[in-house]
């Protein structure tokens, strides 16, 4: 039955959105809320600019980070600008834990991209491929996974800023070397510098202070 709001809609698209919103909310309760439509264009800009580090401070990249990366828990506002969420805060996101659980269970083998996609597209997430790409790229930038191409090459944090073709990605795999989280490294930095109030070294200012 059409609701009063759906009947009053100016377009069929708005009417469908109004009618289907409760259905999608019930089926995919963990889906983040985006205020705009995420397309591959925005994905490419974020992967190159924010996750790859090419132009993090550019206004358009910062706006895309606010619209899409922050709702996914992949970026945080620090010092007036959005930066990659590199600490354990990112692990609180259920979709991040799903991907890492799949790669851990693979025991070093490659997890097919289709398998990852099915997991993230299903309930309770309902994440389409563009959101999936952002999650995977962020995990590469965090040095937690690598992308594996159809030819067996691996895309790591060092090569993430190059032009990435998702149709050439066959799967994902955990990085060979285990790395410490920002929280662990910050704890060590506080001990070494004897500054117990030192901010997380995920923030550029804190890293420079530790170096000094």
């Amino acid at each position: 039955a059409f609701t009063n709001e759906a009947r009053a809609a100016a377009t069929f698209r708005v009417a469908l959105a109004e009618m289907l919103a409760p259905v999608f909310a019930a089926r995919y309760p963990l889906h983040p809320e985006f205020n705009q439509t995420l397309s591959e264009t925005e994905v490419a800009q974020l992967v190159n600019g924010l996750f790859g580090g090419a132009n993090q401070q550019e206004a358009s990249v910062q706006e895309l980070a606010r619209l899409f990366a922050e709702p996914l828990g992949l970026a945080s506002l620090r010092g007036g600008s959005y930066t990659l969420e590199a600490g354990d805060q990112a692990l609180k996101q259920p979709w991040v834990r799903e991907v890492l659980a799949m790669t851990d269970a693979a025991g070093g083998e490659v997890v097919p991209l289709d398998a990852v996609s099915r997991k993230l597209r299903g309930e309770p997430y309902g994440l389409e491929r563009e959101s999936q790409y952002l999650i995977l790229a962020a995990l590469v930038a965090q040095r937690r996974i690598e992308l594996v191409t159809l030819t067996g090459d691996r895309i790591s944090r060092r090569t993430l800023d190059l032009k990435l073709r998702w149709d050439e990605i066959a799967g994902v795999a955990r990085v060979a070397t285990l790395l410490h989280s920002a929280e662990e490294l910050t704890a060590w930095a506080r001990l070494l510098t004897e500054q117990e109030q030192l901010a997380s070294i995920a923030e550029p200012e804190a890293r420079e202070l530790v170096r000094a």
Side-chain angles (χ1 to χ4, degrees):
F2 275 71
T3 63
N4 291 333
E5 291 80 2
R7 291 193 183 95
T11 66
F12 187 53
R13 176 185 177 184
V14 175
L16 276 180
E18 177 66 34
M19 295 297 295
L20 294 176
V23 178
F24 286 133
R27 182 167 294 179
Y28 307 114
L30 296 186
H31 193 290
E33 182 175 346
F34 297 143
N35 292 324
Q36 293 187 23
T37 301
L38 176 62
S39 70
E40 290 195 17
T41 300
E42 288 78 24
V43 170
Q45 287 182 267
L46 280 171
V47 170
N48 184 61
L50 183 67
F51 302 149
N55 48 356
Q56 291 187 5
Q57 300 305 317
E58 188 173 295
S60 60
V61 174
Q62 286 289 302
E63 177 63 7
L64 291 177
R66 182 186 70 83
L67 290 171
F68 304 114
E70 185 184 37
L72 284 166
L74 307 177
S76 297
L77 187 62
R78 297 187 180 93
S81 62
Y82 287 95
T83 58
L84 175 70
E85 183 57 74
D88 287 345
Q89 185 66 26
L91 294 178
K92 295 181 180 179
Q93 306 305 321
W95 35 81
V96 169
R97 294 199 302 270
E98 288 281 10
V99 174
L100 296 182
M102 295 179 74
T103 53
D104 283 344
E109 298 297 321
V110 177
V111 179
L113 190 61
D114 287 344
V116 176
S117 180
R118 284 194 301 272
K119 175 66 72 172
L120 298 183
R121 192 173 61 242
E123 300 179 23
Y125 311 120
L127 296 170
E128 293 296 328
R129 62 179 182 176
E130 290 81 10
S131 297
Q132 298 171 20
Y133 293 162
L134 286 184
I135 294 168
L136 297 180
L139 288 174
V140 172
Q142 295 168 12
R143 298 180 175 88
R144 297 185 184 276
I145 67 170
E146 293 176 333
L147 302 177
V148 183
T149 68
L150 295 171
T151 57
D153 294 328
R154 296 205 171 202
I155 297 175
S156 65
R157 170 66 179 84
R158 293 182 299 105
T159 52
L160 188 60
D161 57 342
L162 301 179
K163 189 171 180 60
L164 180 60
R165 292 181 57 88
W166 289 99
D167 57 349
E168 296 178 354
I169 302 301
V172 300
R174 286 300 293 264
V175 294
T177 305
L178 294 177
L179 299 173
H180 295 286
S181 68
E183 281 71 17
E184 291 177 299
L185 296 176
T186 299
W188 279 107
R190 288 168 179 162
L191 287 172
L192 293 170
T193 61
E194 296 184 344
Q195 296 187 47
E196 295 183 359
Q197 303 304 317
L198 183 71
S200 171
I201 62 169
E203 301 181 19
E205 296 83 0
R207 289 200 297 272
E208 291 303 321
L209 181 59
V210 171
R211 292 190 180 99

